[in-house]
Amino acid sequence: MFVSALQASTPPTTVFSANPFSESLGQIARVIGARNALGATRQTFFVTVGGWDHHDEVLNNQARMLPVISRGLQDFRDALFELGVFNDV
C-alpha cells in the first residue's frame, strides 16, 4: 500500500541537494505528498545527521556542515509550499 500510494501521488518538483540530509527530506516531502492516498491525518518523521562531535577545527567543520543543513531546510520549505502544506507542518 505504501509504495502504491507513493507511485500514485505526484511528488513535489523541488530539486533537493545531493547529500544524505537533503535526500532524506526529499523522501519525507514525497510521503507528505502522498498523505491523502495513505489516509494519513498525522505523520511523524525522524532525520538524523551525524558528524557534529567536533574536537578540533570546530568553526571550520561547522562552516562546512551548516550550509548543508541550511540548503536542505530551504529545499524542504520550498517543497512544503509547493504541496500547499507549509502551514500544516
Side-chain angles (χ1 to χ4, degrees):
M1 178 172 147
F2 182 79
V3 173
S4 301
L6 281 181
Q7 291 171 341
S9 66
T10 303
T13 59
T14 301
V15 177
F16 283 81
S17 304
N19 64 68
F21 178 66
S22 292
E23 291 166 355
S24 294
L25 292 176
Q27 183 63 23
I28 290 170
R30 286 189 64 209
V31 175
I32 291 171
R35 69 196 174 287
N36 293 331
L38 291 168
T41 57
R42 184 173 309 269
Q43 296 170 294
T44 302
F45 303 98
F46 180 81
V47 176
T48 183
V49 179
W52 294 94
D53 188 16
H54 305 297
H55 297 279
D56 297 313
E57 300 292 323
V58 173
L59 295 179
N60 290 334
N61 287 322
Q62 286 181 352
R64 178 180 48 83
M65 294 175 74
L66 288 173
V68 172
I69 300 300
S70 178
R71 181 61 198 203
L73 291 173
Q74 180 179 352
D75 295 342
F76 188 59
R77 181 206 61 194
D78 293 347
L80 295 178
F81 272 115
E82 181 184 344
L83 293 169
V85 296
F86 180 79
N87 290 325
D88 299 325
V89 175

